Amino acid sequence: MKQRFDWSLIQSFLAALDQGSLLGAARVLNASQPTIGRHIAELEAQLGVVLFERTGRGLLPTATALRLAESARTMEAGADQLARSVSGAEAGVSGTVRITASQPVACVLLPPLLARMRQALPEVQVELVSSNEVTNLLRREADIALRMVQPMQASLVAKRIGKVTLGAYAHRDYLRRRGTPRQLVDLLQHELIGNDRHEDILRGFAAMGHPVAREQFAFRTDDLMAYWEAVRSGLGIGFVGHYMARTDPDVVGILPMLQPPDLPIWLTVHREIRTNQRIRAVYDFLAQAVPEVL
């Protein structure tokens, strides 16, 4: 193996290893697929080893790649540590803060709050990542995360700032057409909006003593904004957060006795980034403002 190689290629190597394909790595790194391919080929040439077998299903890491992965991740962690130290040393409440949140939170709940924050912190620019995945703050994919699950990494600070309460809702046109259910069992006679691959709603019906099959749902999607638009369009009865339903007066609540489990909201940030004034200012603003609109 050659003694020298380009350390900057490690990021592409790890992304390809984690994603299992050049396309997946390109998406994560916001680069082109040919660029990632060139990085991998260049790293292999500099190291004098083969890191991946190219297959029809993607990239298959070689035994050498798996052996190098641990050292590569140590290098990545060191680079991230350096970046966080530099970020924490920056002064002033100005600059860019990158926030990640689930689709409904990013598309419905946050924009009015960010408009208010713009008045309070006019020198702060926001980058908003709408994602239902648990973004890895350790790799600086975001500065602040709003999530419905509590992160377990010891280096992250998570504060539970509120909860999303859910209910059954339908558009007025649908209820005029099909009638309003009065009891839980009446739901089984209605058009229901459910999930595609997720089974939360199915488990909820089973817990109430009314197990149903996925075919019971006239419309199924795991895209949360498409789900909300389906309710708004009168496709049937769906289960959404009260904060979303309040944005459309033609969507009304039904069956108040039906109370799905609440979803906690966790505001998460890296421990070391809390010393960054602009990130701390945005963190403090969201910690106060989000509970006010839930």
Side-chain angles (χ1 to χ4, degrees), residues 153-188:
Q153 296 97 329
S155 58
L156 299 180
V157 175
K159 179 180 181 181
R160 181 170 175 169
I161 60 173
K163 61 184 179 181
V164 174
T165 53
L166 307 171
Y169 285 90
H171 195 276
R172 296 182 189 277
D173 290 344
Y174 172 83
L175 297 177
R176 280 194 290 265
R177 186 172 70 249
R178 293 294 309 273
T180 301
R182 303 299 178 184
Q183 303 179 48
L184 296 180
V185 69
D186 294 342
L187 284 176
L188 303 182

Side-chain angles (χ1 to χ4, degrees), residues 177-223:
R177 186 172 70 249
R178 293 294 309 273
T180 301
R182 303 299 178 184
Q183 303 179 48
L184 296 180
V185 69
D186 294 342
L187 284 176
L188 303 182
Q189 307 304 317
H190 278 264
E191 304 290 329
L192 300 177
I193 300 174
N195 296 134
D196 178 17
R197 297 178 181 177
H198 298 165
E199 298 184 352
D200 294 348
I201 296 178
L202 293 178
R203 287 193 291 265
F205 271 93
M208 292 186 295
H210 300 289
V212 296
R214 66 194 308 270
E215 290 76 17
Q216 185 77 32
F217 299 91
F219 179 81
R220 300 184 290 270
T221 180
D222 290 334
D223 187 299

Side-chain angles (χ1 to χ4, degrees), residues 144 159 267 277-290:
I144 297 174
K159 179 180 181 181
L267 184 62
Q277 291 188 35
R278 71 173 182 275
I279 296 177
R280 182 73 206 204
V282 174
Y283 179 92
D284 290 341
F285 180 91
L286 293 176
Q288 178 179 352
V290 171

Side-chain angles (χ1 to χ4, degrees), residues 56-71:
R57 295 185 177 181
L59 300 178
L60 182 64
T62 64
T64 300
L66 296 178
R67 286 197 304 269
L68 293 176
E70 182 176 355
S71 297

Side-chain angles (χ1 to χ4, degrees), residues 19-48:
Q19 299 300 316
S21 69
L22 296 177
L23 179 59
R27 288 173 176 170
V28 168
L29 297 179
N30 195 26
S32 69
Q33 185 173 345
T35 296
I36 301 300
R38 287 195 299 271
H39 286 178
I40 298 300
E42 184 177 351
L43 183 61
E44 288 179 324
Q46 292 182 9
L47 293 175

